[in-house]
Amino acid sequence: MNKKQEFRIEILKYLEKHSRVDLGELGVLLGAEETDVANEIAEMEKEKIICGYHTLIDWDKTSEEKVVALIEVRVTPQRGQGFDRIAERIYNYPEVNAVYLISGSYDLLVTLDEKSLKEVSRFVSEKLSPIDSVLSTATHFILKKYKDHGTIMVPKKESERMLVTP
């Protein structure tokens, strides 16, 4: 790996966890000039290595109702196109957050954030299941997030041990 690739990897590792970092601060951490860091980030955005920036929100602490669903989908791959055409059809639905090709007994994993179980059910029954190549689905709901994208989502418990003083 050359120096430019190593520099990029260091930037990416840091940005993945701290996307709101000050570029001057990142330059200091990496031992590089702020302009070099900014130019490298701009180049990686242009090359679509950096695809976007996201904010992790704990929706449970707001008044907004959200249901997160993970839907496993078993499909028949299409000749010459494999899973790509089916995945494209699914990810073009506006309510779909992500589509992954996975290993195991299912082929695709689809994630949704909706306001209710009924909306998720409607999506699966009216849009996903009727697709010709879809053989079966299994829907799972996130009940509680303990850790998401490397961030612990539950408050740390204070020590329950009694203080003992001599």
Side-chain angles (χ1 to χ4, degrees):
M1 190 179 317
N2 65 35
K3 278 196 180 285
K4 180 175 178 146
Q5 290 171 325
E6 288 176 13
F7 186 51
R8 282 183 161 199
I9 296 300
E10 290 303 312
I11 291 171
L12 292 171
K13 283 180 181 176
Y14 198 82
L15 284 179
E16 191 171 41
K17 297 250 187 244
H18 314 281
S19 63
R20 289 189 59 179
V21 69
D22 177 79
L23 296 183
E25 182 183 324
L26 183 54
V28 169
L29 288 169
L30 298 176
E33 294 295 321
E34 180 177 350
T35 54
D36 293 337
V37 172
N39 290 338
E40 202 60 47
I41 289 172
E43 196 174 309
M44 288 189 286
E45 288 171 345
K46 187 176 176 183
E47 295 172 24
K48 296 292 186 200
I49 293 169
I50 297 175
C51 301
Y53 299 90
H54 303 279
T55 302
L56 182 60
I57 298 170
D58 188 347
W59 289 103
D60 290 342
K61 293 181 179 172
T62 71
S63 60
E64 181 75 12
E65 285 292 318
K66 282 227 182 235
V67 174
V68 179
L70 307 173
I71 306 165
E72 296 173 314
V73 185
R74 187 175 293 126
V75 299
T76 303
Q78 295 179 336
R79 183 179 301 275
Q81 296 165 14
F83 298 99
D84 295 348
R85 180 65 54 106
I86 302 158
E88 180 181 10
R89 183 164 176 195
I90 294 169
Y91 69 62
N92 278 320
Y93 286 114
E95 54 269 61
V96 171
N97 280 343
V99 178
Y100 305 100
L101 180 62
I102 60 173
S103 63
S105 55
Y106 285 86
D107 304 304
L108 300 172
L109 179 67
V110 177
T111 66
L112 301 178
D113 287 346
E114 289 295 333
K115 292 188 180 291
S116 69
L117 297 175
K118 189 178 281 190
E119 287 180 353
V120 172
S121 174
R122 190 176 302 122
F123 172 80
V124 172
S125 64
E126 295 176 7
K127 295 181 179 179
L128 190 58
S129 293
I131 296 173
D132 288 337
S133 300
V134 171
L135 300 173
S136 65
T137 64
T139 303
H140 308 276
F141 295 98
I142 302 292
L143 302 177
K144 183 176 184 177
K145 290 183 182 180
Y146 293 99
K147 189 173 185 178
D148 193 0
H149 289 83
T151 301
I152 296 172
M153 303 296 284
V154 292
K156 291 187 179 190
K157 287 186 177 181
E158 296 294 321
S159 176
E160 294 178 8
R161 297 179 69 186
M162 291 179 53
L163 288 176
V164 177
T165 53

